[in-house]
Amino acid sequence: VGGATFQKNLMVETIIPNRLKMDLDFGPQAWISAHPTPATLTSAWLYGAPAPGLHADISVSFSTTGTTFPSFGDYVFTDPSRSFSSQRMTVFDGNLDSTGKAAFNLQLNAGNAAPGKLNARFLTRVFENSGAFSSEQRTFEFSPYDRYVGIRLPKGDASRSMLLTDTDHTVEIALLDPEGKPVTESVEVECAVYELSWRWWWEKGGSESAEFANSLSHTPVATGTVNTANGKATWQFRVAYPSWGRYLVVVRDRSGGHSAAHTVYIDWPNWAGRSQDQGPVGNSMLALSPEKSMYPAGENAVITFPSNKESHALIVVEKGGEIIRHEWVACTDSVTRYEFKTDSSMLPNVYVHVSLFQQHLQTMNDLPVRLYGITPVSVTDSSTVIQPRIAAPEKWESESKASFTISEAAGKAMTYTVAVVDEGLL
């Protein structure tokens, strides 16, 4: 413009690959505790010589992970009502000694809102004298608590997994150390049941945990304290009619800091079923429940759905846009059970669609006259399953011919593709 000369400055960044290798060691334990832990950083050049006197730093960030213990697989050990976030923090900043090592005490603190165990992701950097650095990231399991409380709720009914009002329900409690062993000492735990605000179908969203965390001071439906014995305890609660809906059962280790919580749906006996948070949305939706996740061809598939004895249901079995069968059935009180025989033409699955019609002006519930639901039913046939086998030596020598054999376990015909890849690269 106007004869002026413009110059654009370009910044060129040179990416230098790692020239140093490093090893971060926290001892023989597979996880890191919140207590001071001896740690060692060792660094060397890629050709093996130590890297003495170089500057290094280590930072860490946390992320949530599942908290499970094999011997208590059906217990819940996390609290979804807790909101957790983490920022990266520096845990070591110093120089390596003459042998390329640095020893320090590591003590991690993830705050007091962790829902359970965490992943600790360490970023280690070792700087050359020129200022260039090599880096490495490693993830370790971090246990922010010395004890973990877990809860197991009753399974509820077969059709909706719901609990009933005016009934005592037992919460089974487990108290374990980070390795999953029962805590032998007696510990007092607090128990409470909170009613969650009901949201109709047009308000459905994924923000319930955050909403509940902001309203935790609301009056609970039931409270109590129990003492554990050898890592176990039980507590009972009851929700009185006419209350119904979704409730959060919370158990807290008062002195240890950890808590576990689980959402449960509680409704009146003989109720036709209302929409649940994890089930169908809309007050006109019908919850269909297959008794098994998969049926062998030739076996009877069983579908159950909530109903009342004055209603009728049109049941349609569909596959690929075609109707395989349809029939009207008279419903039974509380739950209707429907069976049909599967065959190989239904592979890999069919859909069962139910339209339930209630009598006009009925007063047993306030649901619509017509309710509907759909569910897939998976079907399998062992004769159609192929089981490829590869017979090959455990090791192949380089610069030599290799051979291997492909077969099917039962001798069935099959079409296959063979891929040979270098595990070191892929």
Side-chain angles (χ1 to χ4, degrees):
V1 179
T5 301
F6 291 88
Q7 178 180 357
K8 185 175 182 180
N9 294 322
L10 299 178
M11 182 173 64
V12 180
E13 180 181 0
T14 302
I15 301 177
I16 303 175
N18 280 1
R19 301 199 297 183
L20 292 159
K21 56 184 178 180
M22 56 213 75
D23 179 38
L24 191 57
D25 184 23
F26 299 110
Q29 198 159 260
W31 50 275
I32 304 171
S33 72
H35 301 285
T37 303
T40 303
L41 171 62
T42 304
S43 182
W45 298 99
L46 289 183
Y47 56 85
L54 297 183
H55 182 73
D57 63 27
I58 303 172
S59 59
V60 64
S61 63
F62 301 103
S63 61
T64 57
T65 185
T67 304
T68 58
F69 301 96
S71 300
F72 295 82
D74 51 353
Y75 281 71
V76 176
F77 286 90
T78 56
D79 186 349
S81 67
R82 290 189 171 186
S83 178
F84 176 78
S85 62
S86 169
Q87 295 182 344
R88 182 167 292 277
M89 61 185 72
T90 300
V91 295
F92 173 79
D93 191 343
N95 293 330
L96 306 178
D97 62 16
S98 59
T99 63
K101 295 183 179 181
F104 60 98
N105 275 335
L106 176 72
Q107 185 165 11
L108 301 180
N109 184 5
N112 56 4
K117 291 186 177 181
L118 303 173
N119 279 332
R121 187 170 186 176
F122 291 88
L123 171 62
T124 303
R125 301 187 300 177
V126 178
F127 295 82
E128 302 177 28
N129 292 329
S130 63
F133 65 87
S134 299
S135 63
E136 180 186 75
Q137 294 197 65
R138 292 187 64 187
T139 301
F140 294 85
E141 183 183 271
F142 172 55
S143 176
Y145 303 104
D146 293 332
R147 300 189 300 259
Y148 290 88
V149 61
I151 59 175
R152 179 170 64 182
L153 301 181
K155 292 183 178 180
D157 67 3
S159 62
R160 289 151 290 175
S161 297
M162 78 173 197
L163 304 181
L164 301 179
T165 56
D166 292 334
T167 303
D168 290 331
H169 302 292
T170 301
V171 181
E172 298 181 61
I173 302 170
L175 192 65
L176 311 178
D177 65 16
E179 294 182 345
K181 299 177 182 178
V183 176
T184 57
E185 62 179 300
S186 179
V187 177
E188 185 180 72
V189 294
E190 299 177 335
C191 310
V193 178
Y194 296 88
E195 183 176 5
L196 299 179
S197 59
W198 185 260
R199 296 176 307 193
W200 295 107
W201 62 274
W202 57 83
E203 297 175 317
K204 183 176 176 63
S207 60
E208 177 167 281
S209 294
E211 290 176 356
F212 179 76
N214 291 333
S215 61
L216 196 58
S217 60
H218 287 185
T219 303
V221 175
T223 60
T225 58
V226 294
N227 291 314
T228 62
N230 294 321
K232 291 186 177 181
T234 58
W235 178 67
Q236 286 189 336
F237 71 93
R238 169 190 291 245
V239 173
Y241 175 90
S243 298
W244 63 276
R246 289 168 298 124
Y247 295 83
L248 189 71
V249 181
V250 184
V251 177
R252 299 183 184 90
D253 178 358
R254 179 185 298 177
S255 57
H258 181 250
S259 67
H262 190 59
T263 303
V264 64
Y265 180 77
I266 303 176
D267 209 337
W268 310 340
N270 301 323
W271 187 253
R274 314 176 205 241
S275 60
Q276 301 183 36
D277 186 52
Q278 296 180 350
V281 294
N283 62 349
S284 60
M285 294 295 286
L286 189 67
L288 308 183
S289 303
E291 284 195 349
K292 294 171 59 176
S293 60
M294 183 171 291
Y295 292 91
E299 185 176 311
N300 282 355
V302 179
I303 306 295
T304 59
F305 53 90
S307 61
N308 61 66
K309 62 183 179 180
E310 303 296 334
S311 59
H312 290 75
L314 173 62
I315 301 178
V316 181
V317 181
E318 307 173 23
K319 177 178 172 61
E322 298 182 0
I323 295 178
I324 299 177
R325 61 183 295 164
H326 63 90
E327 62 179 304
W328 282 94
V329 299
C331 298
T332 58
D333 196 20
S334 182
V335 175
T336 295
R337 176 187 173 96
Y338 177 73
E339 294 188 26
F340 66 94
K341 190 171 184 178
T342 62
D343 56 56
S344 56
S345 67
M346 297 180 179
L347 272 64
N349 70 280
V350 294
Y351 289 91
V352 178
H353 181 276
V354 178
S355 295
L356 185 142
F357 296 87
Q358 302 194 95
Q359 284 189 342
H360 184 55
L361 298 179
Q362 60 85 26
T363 58
M364 298 180 64
N365 57 67
D366 60 357
L367 293 174
V369 171
R370 176 178 178 267
L371 298 98
Y372 57 92
I374 188 169
T375 185
V377 175
S378 298
V379 182
T380 182
D381 187 349
S382 58
S383 64
T384 65
V385 178
I386 59 173
Q387 299 178 353
R389 297 287 188 267
I390 302 176
E394 290 187 4
K395 296 182 179 180
W396 289 340
E397 295 183 0
S398 40
E399 303 298 334
S400 64
K401 291 185 177 181
S403 63
F404 52 93
T405 303
I406 305 293
S407 63
E408 203 279 330
K412 299 176 185 177
M414 66 177 182
T415 302
Y416 60 88
T417 300
V418 175
V420 181
V421 298
D422 181 351
E423 184 179 4
L425 294 178
L426 301 179

